[in-house]
Amino acid sequence: MNPVRAVLFDLDGTLVQTREASWRIFSKTNAALGLGINSQAEFFRLLEDNMFHGLQKHCGDDRKAGAAAKHFLDLLQREYNPEFVPGMADVVRAFAGSCSLAVISSNSVGTIRRVLDREGLTHCFSHVFGGDVEQDKRACVRRFLADRSYLVSRNCSPAYREGHEPEAPRADQIALITDTVGDVKHAVECGVRAIGVAWGMHTEQQLLVAGAEFVAVWPQELVARLLPGGFATSCSVEPFAEGGSNSAVSRSGCACGCQDNDLADAAAMRRRRRMAAAASLDQRTSCGVESSFAPAAAPPASDGTFDTLLLASLRRLKNNDPPALR
């Protein structure tokens, strides 16, 4: 199977814990509009289809369903602030290093922004489709299939990669990760990979019956199944400042640099440190011969400590000496 190039995450029940939080808020909408959805189980059944479609079917009246959806989204905007599923922030960072990421949710864009800002993950995602932008998740999936520019990633910086012209994706290179039967069915209908998670609204068996390729029991299982190399490092790298202090973390609390526009500076800094260390080592082993790549005033290596056996080996290589026999 082709490697995944775009990962589309549902929010509620997939990235964040929502079983109790969303029902508490929806129960207020139910009471205000007299919807007759009086239990958590009935609420979950709405999500066996798209939530908005489920409301339409339940109400049998488009105007009442629209009013219920608006009331619910307004409450979510003001009151909803669920916790991230433990471990999922690291999973997002792992995928952000090699894939274009999106959130596709029935929730509002404002709510999604608040949750991602709080977790320091905002710039890991290239796109966010909320229920106030597009209520049918199939339309969002088809945008990725039809327009290759949606695969341009941002690698956890505010700017999108310039000059990146990705090839058009195959359907099996796009994965929708979700906790609901309705989302799985819509992913299957669009031909993309449907991946379930067991910690959300619907059970593992329900998701598999709906057509999920597999259902993750732990967040890390998503990485194991979809990223053959395991956790990537290009997003989770910590951009240390001179002197060893982690400036990005101290300013934003985010190890991946999502809240700072300094990834390029941090990368250049790491390159300078590596070059300085290499230049210093070259000078120590060149027997007075000027290094061909040392800067005019190369700073010393970070700690000045070298392995003596390695130094001896490098000197022999420079002088074409045979290795010492032991």
Side-chain angles (χ1 to χ4, degrees):
M1 186 170 288
N2 285 303
V4 66
R5 295 172 58 200
V7 180
L8 318 180
F9 287 95
D10 177 42
L11 179 75
D12 305 297
T14 301
L15 291 176
V16 300
Q17 301 179 76
T18 192
R19 292 177 64 87
E20 299 299 328
S22 61
W23 164 241
R24 281 197 301 270
I25 292 175
F26 186 83
S27 64
K28 295 182 181 182
T29 295
N30 178 65
L33 298 178
L35 299 178
I37 301 173
N38 299 315
S39 71
Q40 190 180 56
E42 290 176 286
F43 173 55
F44 288 173
R45 280 198 290 273
L46 284 181
L47 302 170
E48 292 177 3
D49 196 346
N50 175 285
M51 189 195 76
F52 300 103
H53 297 166
L55 278 172
Q56 289 170 344
K57 289 179 182 178
H58 176 81
C59 295
D61 179 341
D62 287 351
R63 193 160 76 174
K64 185 173 184 179
K70 183 180 185 308
H71 189 277
F72 184 46
L73 287 173
D74 288 346
L75 285 177
L76 289 172
Q77 181 75 25
R78 296 195 305 269
E79 301 180 15
Y80 189 62
N81 196 28
E83 293 297 317
F84 238 68
V85 173
M88 279 302 288
D90 284 338
V91 169
V92 167
R93 294 186 181 107
F95 283 110
S98 57
C99 304
S100 174
L101 302 188
V103 173
I104 299 181
S105 174
S106 298
N107 222 312
S108 69
V109 170
T111 302
I112 299 167
R113 172 70 184 268
R114 182 173 68 247
V115 171
L116 295 182
D117 278 351
R118 187 195 68 206
E119 295 298 321
L121 296 173
T122 308
H123 296 133
C124 289
F125 290 91
S126 298
H127 303 281
V128 165
F129 297 96
D132 50 350
V133 173
E134 176 58 71
Q135 293 187 353
D136 191 335
K137 294 185 181 182
R138 290 168 293 188
C140 305
V141 173
R142 286 167 182 151
R143 290 176 190 270
F144 275 80
L145 287 168
D147 185 350
R148 65 180 184 170
S149 70
Y150 278 93
L151 270 70
V152 174
S153 63
R154 62 200 318 178
N155 295 126
C156 290
S157 71
Y160 291 86
R161 288 177 57 192
E162 295 186 28
H164 183 202
E165 297 184 1
E167 296 179 1
R170 294 168 53 101
D172 63 356
Q173 293 176 322
I174 298 175
L176 175 61
I177 300 178
T178 182
D179 68 309
T180 66
V181 165
D183 286 356
V184 168
K185 289 179 177 178
H186 287 171
V188 171
E189 182 180 333
C190 293
V192 302
R193 299 173 69 177
I195 312 299
V197 299
W199 50 82
M201 297 283 191
H202 295 145
T203 67
E204 180 176 4
Q205 187 59 32
Q206 286 175 303
L207 295 168
L208 289 172
V209 169
E213 176 182 325
F214 71 90
V215 176
V217 177
W218 314 284
Q220 296 76 18
E221 191 174 0
L222 297 169
V223 177
R225 292 287 198 111
L226 297 177
L227 287 180
F231 280 97
T233 57
S234 60
C235 177
S236 58
V237 67
E238 297 181 0
F240 284 92
E242 296 290 357
S245 64
N246 192 332
S247 61
V249 173
S250 63
R251 288 198 301 274
S252 70
C254 176
C256 75
C258 293
Q259 300 300 319
D260 295 274
N261 192 17
D262 60 0
L263 284 182
D265 292 340
M269 193 180 300
R270 289 193 293 274
R271 287 194 296 273
R272 288 197 298 273
R273 286 204 304 269
R274 288 196 298 269
M275 289 296 293
S280 177
L281 180 60
D282 183 65
Q283 288 174 342
R284 290 169 65 98
T285 60
S286 62
C287 300
V289 178
E290 184 177 354
S291 169
S292 60
F293 61 84
S302 57
D303 60 6
T305 302
F306 295 103
D307 186 293
T308 55
L309 180 60
L310 176 61
L311 280 172
S313 299
L314 288 172
R315 289 192 186 99
R316 286 197 298 273
L317 288 172
K318 279 186 170 290
N319 298 325
N320 294 320
D321 293 338
L325 298 177
R326 289 182 177 272

